[in-house]
Each structure stands twice: as C-alpha cells, then as structure tokens.
mmCIF file of all heavy atoms in Angstrom:
data_model
loop_
_atom_site.group_PDB
_atom_site.id
_atom_site.type_symbol
_atom_site.label_atom_id
_atom_site.label_comp_id
_atom_site.label_asym_id
_atom_site.label_seq_id
_atom_site.Cartn_x
_atom_site.Cartn_y
_atom_site.Cartn_z
ATOM 1 N N ILE A 390 1.746 -89.183 30.030
ATOM 2 C CA ILE A 390 0.350 -89.189 30.496
ATOM 3 C C ILE A 390 -0.394 -87.861 30.194
ATOM 4 O O ILE A 390 -1.443 -87.866 29.641
ATOM 5 C CB ILE A 390 0.260 -89.533 32.035
ATOM 6 C CG1 ILE A 390 0.708 -90.951 32.252
ATOM 7 C CG2 ILE A 390 -1.143 -89.328 32.580
ATOM 8 C CD1 ILE A 390 0.921 -91.335 33.752
ATOM 9 N N VAL A 391 0.279 -86.804 30.531
ATOM 10 C CA VAL A 391 -0.276 -85.492 30.288
ATOM 11 C C VAL A 391 -0.502 -85.255 28.804
ATOM 12 O O VAL A 391 -1.581 -84.735 28.443
ATOM 13 C CB VAL A 391 0.661 -84.404 30.910
ATOM 14 C CG1 VAL A 391 0.252 -83.034 30.415
ATOM 15 C CG2 VAL A 391 0.605 -84.440 32.421
ATOM 16 N N LYS A 392 0.416 -85.677 28.007
ATOM 17 C CA LYS A 392 0.307 -85.455 26.528
ATOM 18 C C LYS A 392 -0.797 -86.373 26.024
ATOM 19 O O LYS A 392 -1.587 -85.992 25.119
ATOM 20 C CB LYS A 392 1.617 -85.808 25.801
ATOM 21 C CG LYS A 392 1.601 -85.546 24.340
ATOM 22 C CD LYS A 392 2.983 -85.828 23.757
ATOM 23 C CE LYS A 392 2.894 -85.543 22.263
ATOM 24 N NZ LYS A 392 4.131 -85.822 21.606
ATOM 25 N N ALA A 393 -0.905 -87.606 26.539
ATOM 26 C CA ALA A 393 -1.893 -88.536 26.032
ATOM 27 C C ALA A 393 -3.316 -88.059 26.349
ATOM 28 O O ALA A 393 -4.236 -88.371 25.566
ATOM 29 C CB ALA A 393 -1.676 -89.881 26.631
ATOM 30 N N ILE A 394 -3.563 -87.371 27.405
ATOM 31 C CA ILE A 394 -4.853 -86.845 27.713
ATOM 32 C C ILE A 394 -5.033 -85.407 27.259
ATOM 33 O O ILE A 394 -5.971 -84.737 27.708
ATOM 34 C CB ILE A 394 -5.264 -87.059 29.193
ATOM 35 C CG1 ILE A 394 -4.308 -86.430 30.139
ATOM 36 C CG2 ILE A 394 -5.374 -88.552 29.488
ATOM 37 C CD1 ILE A 394 -4.679 -86.559 31.560
ATOM 38 N N ASP A 395 -4.117 -84.955 26.438
ATOM 39 C CA ASP A 395 -4.180 -83.615 25.728
ATOM 40 C C ASP A 395 -4.218 -82.484 26.725
ATOM 41 O O ASP A 395 -5.074 -81.554 26.634
ATOM 42 C CB ASP A 395 -5.501 -83.608 24.888
ATOM 43 C CG ASP A 395 -5.203 -83.031 23.557
ATOM 44 O OD1 ASP A 395 -4.065 -82.811 23.218
ATOM 45 O OD2 ASP A 395 -6.222 -82.645 22.831
ATOM 46 N N LEU A 396 -3.273 -82.454 27.634
ATOM 47 C CA LEU A 396 -3.091 -81.321 28.554
ATOM 48 C C LEU A 396 -1.787 -80.652 28.400
ATOM 49 O O LEU A 396 -0.828 -81.222 27.962
ATOM 50 C CB LEU A 396 -3.151 -81.858 30.023
ATOM 51 C CG LEU A 396 -4.432 -82.503 30.496
ATOM 52 C CD1 LEU A 396 -4.268 -83.018 31.956
ATOM 53 C CD2 LEU A 396 -5.581 -81.540 30.454
ATOM 54 N N SER A 397 -1.731 -79.362 28.690
ATOM 55 C CA SER A 397 -0.512 -78.640 28.732
ATOM 56 C C SER A 397 -0.284 -78.189 30.171
ATOM 57 O O SER A 397 -1.172 -78.263 31.059
ATOM 58 C CB SER A 397 -0.604 -77.349 27.797
ATOM 59 O OG SER A 397 -1.492 -76.452 28.329
ATOM 60 N N ALA A 398 0.942 -77.594 30.441
ATOM 61 C CA ALA A 398 1.238 -77.199 31.755
ATOM 62 C C ALA A 398 0.263 -76.133 32.294
ATOM 63 O O ALA A 398 0.068 -75.980 33.498
ATOM 64 C CB ALA A 398 2.684 -76.669 31.814
ATOM 65 N N ALA A 399 -0.328 -75.359 31.368
ATOM 66 C CA ALA A 399 -1.279 -74.325 31.805
ATOM 67 C C ALA A 399 -2.551 -74.930 32.316
ATOM 68 O O ALA A 399 -3.317 -74.299 33.124
ATOM 69 C CB ALA A 399 -1.566 -73.402 30.655
ATOM 70 N N ASP A 400 -2.886 -76.205 31.963
ATOM 71 C CA ASP A 400 -4.146 -76.803 32.302
ATOM 72 C C ASP A 400 -4.270 -77.350 33.729
ATOM 73 O O ASP A 400 -5.350 -77.512 34.244
ATOM 74 C CB ASP A 400 -4.437 -77.901 31.297
ATOM 75 C CG ASP A 400 -4.613 -77.422 29.882
ATOM 76 O OD1 ASP A 400 -4.966 -76.316 29.733
ATOM 77 O OD2 ASP A 400 -4.388 -78.258 28.942
ATOM 78 N N PHE A 401 -3.122 -77.700 34.317
ATOM 79 C CA PHE A 401 -3.148 -78.378 35.615
ATOM 80 C C PHE A 401 -2.259 -77.726 36.635
ATOM 81 O O PHE A 401 -1.427 -76.870 36.312
ATOM 82 C CB PHE A 401 -2.767 -79.826 35.465
ATOM 83 C CG PHE A 401 -1.382 -80.048 34.861
ATOM 84 C CD1 PHE A 401 -0.293 -80.016 35.703
ATOM 85 C CD2 PHE A 401 -1.193 -80.244 33.544
ATOM 86 C CE1 PHE A 401 1.010 -80.221 35.223
ATOM 87 C CE2 PHE A 401 0.068 -80.419 32.978
ATOM 88 C CZ PHE A 401 1.174 -80.450 33.826
ATOM 89 N N ALA A 402 -2.469 -78.114 37.817
ATOM 90 C CA ALA A 402 -1.521 -77.738 38.991
ATOM 91 C C ALA A 402 -0.885 -79.024 39.469
ATOM 92 O O ALA A 402 -1.614 -80.000 39.735
ATOM 93 C CB ALA A 402 -2.266 -77.050 40.101
ATOM 94 N N LEU A 403 0.433 -79.059 39.550
ATOM 95 C CA LEU A 403 1.138 -80.261 39.998
ATOM 96 C C LEU A 403 1.750 -79.921 41.361
ATOM 97 O O LEU A 403 2.504 -78.968 41.563
ATOM 98 C CB LEU A 403 2.281 -80.590 38.986
ATOM 99 C CG LEU A 403 3.221 -81.689 39.401
ATOM 100 C CD1 LEU A 403 2.532 -83.010 39.453
ATOM 101 C CD2 LEU A 403 4.397 -81.689 38.480
ATOM 102 N N VAL A 404 1.386 -80.672 42.386
ATOM 103 C CA VAL A 404 1.861 -80.497 43.746
ATOM 104 C C VAL A 404 2.630 -81.707 44.240
ATOM 105 O O VAL A 404 2.112 -82.866 44.102
ATOM 106 C CB VAL A 404 0.609 -80.226 44.683
ATOM 107 C CG1 VAL A 404 1.103 -80.022 46.139
ATOM 108 C CG2 VAL A 404 -0.158 -78.968 44.220
ATOM 109 N N ASN A 405 3.760 -81.520 44.785
ATOM 110 C CA ASN A 405 4.551 -82.592 45.448
ATOM 111 C C ASN A 405 4.100 -82.571 46.934
ATOM 112 O O ASN A 405 4.437 -81.747 47.701
ATOM 113 C CB ASN A 405 6.076 -82.350 45.306
ATOM 114 C CG ASN A 405 6.785 -83.595 45.833
ATOM 115 O OD1 ASN A 405 6.307 -84.360 46.651
ATOM 116 N ND2 ASN A 405 8.032 -83.711 45.381
ATOM 117 N N CYS A 406 3.279 -83.549 47.253
ATOM 118 C CA CYS A 406 2.695 -83.636 48.589
ATOM 119 C C CYS A 406 3.652 -83.999 49.686
ATOM 120 O O CYS A 406 3.292 -83.936 50.892
ATOM 121 C CB CYS A 406 1.457 -84.575 48.632
ATOM 122 S SG CYS A 406 0.007 -83.835 47.793
ATOM 123 N N SER A 407 4.813 -84.387 49.378
ATOM 124 C CA SER A 407 5.802 -84.809 50.416
ATOM 125 C C SER A 407 6.172 -83.519 51.216
ATOM 126 O O SER A 407 6.534 -83.639 52.388
ATOM 127 C CB SER A 407 7.088 -85.381 49.810
ATOM 128 O OG SER A 407 7.782 -84.433 48.996
ATOM 129 N N ALA A 408 6.003 -82.318 50.687
ATOM 130 C CA ALA A 408 6.206 -81.123 51.414
ATOM 131 C C ALA A 408 4.971 -80.660 52.194
ATOM 132 O O ALA A 408 5.062 -79.786 53.064
ATOM 133 C CB ALA A 408 6.544 -80.021 50.473
ATOM 134 N N TYR A 409 3.837 -81.310 52.010
ATOM 135 C CA TYR A 409 2.598 -81.057 52.697
ATOM 136 C C TYR A 409 2.001 -82.266 53.244
ATOM 137 O O TYR A 409 0.817 -82.640 52.935
ATOM 138 C CB TYR A 409 1.560 -80.363 51.715
ATOM 139 C CG TYR A 409 2.216 -79.153 50.981
ATOM 140 C CD1 TYR A 409 2.646 -79.264 49.663
ATOM 141 C CD2 TYR A 409 2.377 -77.962 51.652
ATOM 142 C CE1 TYR A 409 3.202 -78.164 48.994
ATOM 143 C CE2 TYR A 409 2.906 -76.841 50.993
ATOM 144 C CZ TYR A 409 3.309 -76.998 49.650
ATOM 145 O OH TYR A 409 3.881 -75.946 49.040
ATOM 146 N N ALA A 410 2.726 -82.960 54.127
ATOM 147 C CA ALA A 410 2.240 -84.246 54.644
ATOM 148 C C ALA A 410 0.921 -84.156 55.405
ATOM 149 O O ALA A 410 0.215 -85.117 55.451
ATOM 150 C CB ALA A 410 3.322 -84.789 55.584
ATOM 151 N N ASP A 411 0.648 -82.990 55.944
ATOM 152 C CA ASP A 411 -0.608 -82.830 56.762
ATOM 153 C C ASP A 411 -1.770 -82.271 55.974
ATOM 154 O O ASP A 411 -2.894 -82.097 56.501
ATOM 155 C CB ASP A 411 -0.341 -81.926 57.960
ATOM 156 C CG ASP A 411 0.045 -80.551 57.557
ATOM 157 O OD1 ASP A 411 0.626 -80.338 56.446
ATOM 158 O OD2 ASP A 411 -0.112 -79.655 58.346
ATOM 159 N N ALA A 412 -1.566 -82.015 54.642
ATOM 160 C CA ALA A 412 -2.621 -81.542 53.802
ATOM 161 C C ALA A 412 -3.672 -82.612 53.663
ATOM 162 O O ALA A 412 -3.379 -83.803 53.405
ATOM 163 C CB ALA A 412 -2.083 -81.070 52.492
ATOM 164 N N ASP A 413 -4.965 -82.211 53.708
ATOM 165 C CA ASP A 413 -6.009 -83.182 53.440
ATOM 166 C C ASP A 413 -6.796 -82.791 52.202
ATOM 167 O O ASP A 413 -6.570 -81.806 51.577
ATOM 168 C CB ASP A 413 -6.932 -83.309 54.688
ATOM 169 C CG ASP A 413 -7.621 -81.995 55.048
ATOM 170 O OD1 ASP A 413 -7.536 -81.059 54.313
ATOM 171 O OD2 ASP A 413 -8.235 -82.001 56.151
ATOM 172 N N PHE A 414 -7.715 -83.684 51.850
ATOM 173 C CA PHE A 414 -8.534 -83.470 50.634
ATOM 174 C C PHE A 414 -9.301 -82.113 50.704
ATOM 175 O O PHE A 414 -9.292 -81.408 49.687
ATOM 176 C CB PHE A 414 -9.464 -84.689 50.421
ATOM 177 C CG PHE A 414 -10.403 -84.542 49.249
ATOM 178 C CD1 PHE A 414 -9.847 -84.776 47.963
ATOM 179 C CD2 PHE A 414 -11.683 -84.083 49.340
ATOM 180 C CE1 PHE A 414 -10.713 -84.657 46.825
ATOM 181 C CE2 PHE A 414 -12.464 -83.967 48.270
ATOM 182 C CZ PHE A 414 -11.989 -84.236 46.998
ATOM 183 N N GLU A 415 -9.948 -81.873 51.833
ATOM 184 C CA GLU A 415 -10.673 -80.650 51.994
ATOM 185 C C GLU A 415 -9.777 -79.366 51.694
ATOM 186 O O GLU A 415 -10.260 -78.462 51.022
ATOM 187 C CB GLU A 415 -11.299 -80.571 53.383
ATOM 188 C CG GLU A 415 -12.145 -79.428 53.608
ATOM 189 C CD GLU A 415 -12.751 -79.462 55.000
ATOM 190 O OE1 GLU A 415 -13.369 -80.488 55.386
ATOM 191 O OE2 GLU A 415 -12.577 -78.425 55.696
ATOM 192 N N GLU A 416 -8.600 -79.361 52.292
ATOM 193 C CA GLU A 416 -7.693 -78.204 52.066
ATOM 194 C C GLU A 416 -7.266 -78.071 50.650
ATOM 195 O O GLU A 416 -7.309 -76.942 50.022
ATOM 196 C CB GLU A 416 -6.491 -78.352 52.991
ATOM 197 C CG GLU A 416 -5.659 -77.121 52.970
ATOM 198 C CD GLU A 416 -4.402 -77.252 53.935
ATOM 199 O OE1 GLU A 416 -4.218 -78.295 54.474
ATOM 200 O OE2 GLU A 416 -3.776 -76.186 54.126
ATOM 201 N N LEU A 417 -6.972 -79.204 49.984
ATOM 202 C CA LEU A 417 -6.529 -79.147 48.564
ATOM 203 C C LEU A 417 -7.733 -78.765 47.686
ATOM 204 O O LEU A 417 -7.520 -77.961 46.753
ATOM 205 C CB LEU A 417 -6.016 -80.574 48.141
ATOM 206 C CG LEU A 417 -4.677 -80.905 48.754
ATOM 207 C CD1 LEU A 417 -4.420 -82.368 48.534
ATOM 208 C CD2 LEU A 417 -3.563 -80.115 48.184
ATOM 209 N N GLN A 418 -8.878 -79.241 48.023
ATOM 210 C CA GLN A 418 -10.134 -78.926 47.237
ATOM 211 C C GLN A 418 -10.446 -77.428 47.396
ATOM 212 O O GLN A 418 -10.774 -76.752 46.418
ATOM 213 C CB GLN A 418 -11.270 -79.802 47.780
ATOM 214 C CG GLN A 418 -12.646 -79.526 47.086
ATOM 215 C CD GLN A 418 -13.780 -80.286 47.620
ATOM 216 O OE1 GLN A 418 -13.653 -80.806 48.743
ATOM 217 N NE2 GLN A 418 -14.797 -80.372 46.906
ATOM 218 N N SER A 419 -10.282 -76.917 48.608
ATOM 219 C CA SER A 419 -10.604 -75.492 48.799
ATOM 220 C C SER A 419 -9.624 -74.576 48.056
ATOM 221 O O SER A 419 -9.984 -73.551 47.485
ATOM 222 C CB SER A 419 -10.497 -75.230 50.355
ATOM 223 O OG SER A 419 -10.581 -73.856 50.597
ATOM 224 N N TYR A 420 -8.402 -74.992 48.009
ATOM 225 C CA TYR A 420 -7.356 -74.196 47.361
ATOM 226 C C TYR A 420 -7.358 -74.238 45.875
ATOM 227 O O TYR A 420 -7.272 -73.237 45.179
ATOM 228 C CB TYR A 420 -5.933 -74.579 47.922
ATOM 229 C CG TYR A 420 -4.875 -73.644 47.547
ATOM 230 C CD1 TYR A 420 -4.516 -72.471 48.248
ATOM 231 C CD2 TYR A 420 -4.151 -73.886 46.389
ATOM 232 C CE1 TYR A 420 -3.489 -71.648 47.883
ATOM 233 C CE2 TYR A 420 -3.076 -73.018 45.987
ATOM 234 C CZ TYR A 420 -2.815 -71.985 46.673
ATOM 235 O OH TYR A 420 -1.831 -71.046 46.332
ATOM 236 N N PHE A 421 -7.357 -75.461 45.359
ATOM 237 C CA PHE A 421 -7.299 -75.695 43.889
ATOM 238 C C PHE A 421 -8.616 -75.819 43.095
ATOM 239 O O PHE A 421 -8.648 -75.620 41.955
ATOM 240 C CB PHE A 421 -6.387 -76.876 43.582
ATOM 241 C CG PHE A 421 -5.004 -76.740 43.990
ATOM 242 C CD1 PHE A 421 -4.507 -77.290 45.130
ATOM 243 C CD2 PHE A 421 -4.123 -76.007 43.190
ATOM 244 C CE1 PHE A 421 -3.151 -77.176 45.472
ATOM 245 C CE2 PHE A 421 -2.805 -75.824 43.506
ATOM 246 C CZ PHE A 421 -2.311 -76.424 44.687
ATOM 247 N N LYS A 422 -9.668 -76.132 43.809
ATOM 248 C CA LYS A 422 -10.993 -76.340 43.248
ATOM 249 C C LYS A 422 -10.924 -77.272 42.006
ATOM 250 O O LYS A 422 -11.424 -76.988 40.936
ATOM 251 C CB LYS A 422 -11.589 -74.930 42.784
ATOM 252 C CG LYS A 422 -11.477 -73.849 43.860
ATOM 253 C CD LYS A 422 -12.832 -73.273 44.217
ATOM 254 C CE LYS A 422 -12.735 -72.181 45.248
ATOM 255 N NZ LYS A 422 -12.183 -72.488 46.517
ATOM 256 N N PRO A 423 -10.355 -78.508 42.229
ATOM 257 C CA PRO A 423 -10.228 -79.447 41.092
ATOM 258 C C PRO A 423 -11.560 -80.044 40.659
ATOM 259 O O PRO A 423 -12.449 -80.279 41.496
ATOM 260 C CB PRO A 423 -9.313 -80.425 41.608
ATOM 261 C CG PRO A 423 -9.621 -80.492 43.116
ATOM 262 C CD PRO A 423 -9.939 -79.078 43.451
ATOM 263 N N ARG A 424 -11.606 -80.346 39.388
ATOM 264 C CA ARG A 424 -12.779 -81.140 38.928
ATOM 265 C C ARG A 424 -12.256 -82.528 38.654
ATOM 266 O O ARG A 424 -13.000 -83.492 38.587
ATOM 267 C CB ARG A 424 -13.411 -80.565 37.720
ATOM 268 C CG ARG A 424 -12.521 -80.407 36.478
ATOM 269 C CD ARG A 424 -13.255 -79.659 35.351
ATOM 270 N NE ARG A 424 -12.374 -79.499 34.223
ATOM 271 C CZ ARG A 424 -12.381 -80.300 33.134
ATOM 272 N NH1 ARG A 424 -13.255 -81.310 33.127
ATOM 273 N NH2 ARG A 424 -11.578 -80.107 32.109
ATOM 274 N N LEU A 425 -10.922 -82.626 38.522
ATOM 275 C CA LEU A 425 -10.235 -83.936 38.338
ATOM 276 C C LEU A 425 -8.953 -83.928 39.157
ATOM 277 O O LEU A 425 -8.202 -82.965 39.169
ATOM 278 C CB LEU A 425 -9.850 -84.100 36.804
ATOM 279 C CG LEU A 425 -8.896 -85.332 36.514
ATOM 280 C CD1 LEU A 425 -9.532 -86.607 36.854
ATOM 281 C CD2 LEU A 425 -8.497 -85.268 34.997
ATOM 282 N N LEU A 426 -8.765 -85.069 39.910
ATOM 283 C CA LEU A 426 -7.527 -85.193 40.714
ATOM 284 C C LEU A 426 -6.821 -86.479 40.338
ATOM 285 O O LEU A 426 -7.490 -87.562 40.343
ATOM 286 C CB LEU A 426 -7.862 -85.217 42.180
ATOM 287 C CG LEU A 426 -6.725 -85.355 43.141
ATOM 288 C CD1 LEU A 426 -6.966 -84.513 44.407
ATOM 289 C CD2 LEU A 426 -6.434 -86.778 43.564
ATOM 290 N N LEU A 427 -5.613 -86.356 39.854
ATOM 291 C CA LEU A 427 -4.777 -87.529 39.533
ATOM 292 C C LEU A 427 -3.749 -87.625 40.579
ATOM 293 O O LEU A 427 -2.967 -86.662 40.814
ATOM 294 C CB LEU A 427 -4.092 -87.393 38.169
ATOM 295 C CG LEU A 427 -5.018 -87.153 36.976
ATOM 296 C CD1 LEU A 427 -4.234 -86.862 35.689
ATOM 297 C CD2 LEU A 427 -5.869 -88.441 36.802
ATOM 298 N N SER A 428 -3.649 -88.752 41.272
ATOM 299 C CA SER A 428 -2.684 -88.890 42.386
ATOM 300 C C SER A 428 -1.744 -90.035 42.144
ATOM 301 O O SER A 428 -2.093 -91.151 41.903
ATOM 302 C CB SER A 428 -3.502 -89.214 43.669
ATOM 303 O OG SER A 428 -2.628 -89.428 44.743
ATOM 304 N N PHE A 429 -0.432 -89.688 42.212
ATOM 305 C CA PHE A 429 0.586 -90.670 41.934
ATOM 306 C C PHE A 429 1.415 -90.791 43.198
ATOM 307 O O PHE A 429 2.296 -90.004 43.522
ATOM 308 C CB PHE A 429 1.520 -90.237 40.778
ATOM 309 C CG PHE A 429 0.764 -90.119 39.526
ATOM 310 C CD1 PHE A 429 0.251 -88.863 39.035
ATOM 311 C CD2 PHE A 429 0.477 -91.263 38.699
ATOM 312 C CE1 PHE A 429 -0.417 -88.811 37.829
ATOM 313 C CE2 PHE A 429 -0.274 -91.157 37.551
ATOM 314 C CZ PHE A 429 -0.659 -89.931 37.103
ATOM 315 N N GLY A 430 1.131 -91.827 43.979
ATOM 316 C CA GLY A 430 1.897 -92.142 45.179
ATOM 317 C C GLY A 430 1.307 -91.449 46.483
ATOM 318 O O GLY A 430 1.848 -91.645 47.541
ATOM 319 N N VAL A 431 0.298 -90.661 46.318
ATOM 320 C CA VAL A 431 -0.392 -90.084 47.483
ATOM 321 C C VAL A 431 -1.683 -90.911 47.760
ATOM 322 O O VAL A 431 -2.578 -90.922 46.912
ATOM 323 C CB VAL A 431 -0.780 -88.590 47.236
ATOM 324 C CG1 VAL A 431 -1.445 -88.022 48.453
ATOM 325 C CG2 VAL A 431 0.549 -87.832 46.861
ATOM 326 N N LEU A 432 -1.675 -91.565 48.858
ATOM 327 C CA LEU A 432 -2.799 -92.517 49.131
ATOM 328 C C LEU A 432 -4.032 -91.672 49.552
ATOM 329 O O LEU A 432 -3.916 -90.636 50.138
ATOM 330 C CB LEU A 432 -2.391 -93.446 50.262
ATOM 331 C CG LEU A 432 -1.202 -94.356 49.954
ATOM 332 C CD1 LEU A 432 -0.827 -95.086 51.272
ATOM 333 C CD2 LEU A 432 -1.486 -95.321 48.855
ATOM 334 N N PRO A 433 -5.206 -92.223 49.201
ATOM 335 C CA PRO A 433 -6.404 -91.499 49.613
ATOM 336 C C PRO A 433 -6.485 -91.386 51.142
ATOM 337 O O PRO A 433 -6.987 -90.380 51.674
ATOM 338 C CB PRO A 433 -7.570 -92.421 49.109
ATOM 339 C CG PRO A 433 -6.911 -93.587 48.483
ATOM 340 C CD PRO A 433 -5.496 -93.401 48.478
ATOM 341 N N GLU A 434 -6.068 -92.362 51.870
ATOM 342 C CA GLU A 434 -6.079 -92.265 53.372
ATOM 343 C C GLU A 434 -5.239 -91.124 53.864
ATOM 344 O O GLU A 434 -5.581 -90.515 54.919
ATOM 345 C CB GLU A 434 -5.605 -93.619 54.011
ATOM 346 C CG GLU A 434 -6.236 -94.864 53.542
ATOM 347 C CD GLU A 434 -5.549 -95.492 52.342
ATOM 348 O OE1 GLU A 434 -4.542 -96.187 52.467
ATOM 349 O OE2 GLU A 434 -6.057 -95.279 51.238
ATOM 350 N N THR A 435 -4.211 -90.826 53.181
ATOM 351 C CA THR A 435 -3.265 -89.714 53.536
ATOM 352 C C THR A 435 -4.098 -88.428 53.443
ATOM 353 O O THR A 435 -3.871 -87.484 54.221
ATOM 354 C CB THR A 435 -2.065 -89.587 52.660
ATOM 355 O OG1 THR A 435 -1.434 -90.865 52.712
ATOM 356 C CG2 THR A 435 -1.106 -88.553 53.069
#
C-alpha cells in the first residue's frame, strides 16, 4: 500500500494504537498534525 501510493518510511508516522487505547482523534491530531490519516483496524468510534 505504502509503495503503491509512493511513500517512504520518512513520509509517514505509523502508530500501533493497541498501546494507546485511550488516545482520541484530537490528541493524535495535536501530536502528529496529519493531513492524511489511514486507519487499519482502529475504528473511528474508538
């Protein structure tokens, strides 16, 4: 997926949210300042 959309490891931040079960969108947005968020297995309600 990353290769298909022409990204390298320097371009993105990858977070395993299982270690941050209480993290919300606002906290992630404040920390990472993303313009694009790709979520695999992390539900929007979470």
Side-chain angles (χ1 to χ4, degrees):
I390 291 170
V391 166
K392 186 177 178 182
I394 57 177
D395 223 13
L396 295 177
S397 70
D400 297 332
F401 59 84
L403 174 68
V404 177
N405 188 338
C406 285
S407 64
Y409 307 103
D411 62 335
D413 61 8
F414 178 77
E415 184 179 304
E416 187 177 11
L417 291 165
Q418 179 184 18
S419 171
Y420 189 87
F421 291 102
K422 311 235 182 303
R424 61 185 179 97
L425 170 64
L426 183 143
L427 301 174
S428 177
F429 299 98
V431 180
L432 299 173
E434 306 89 81
T435 306

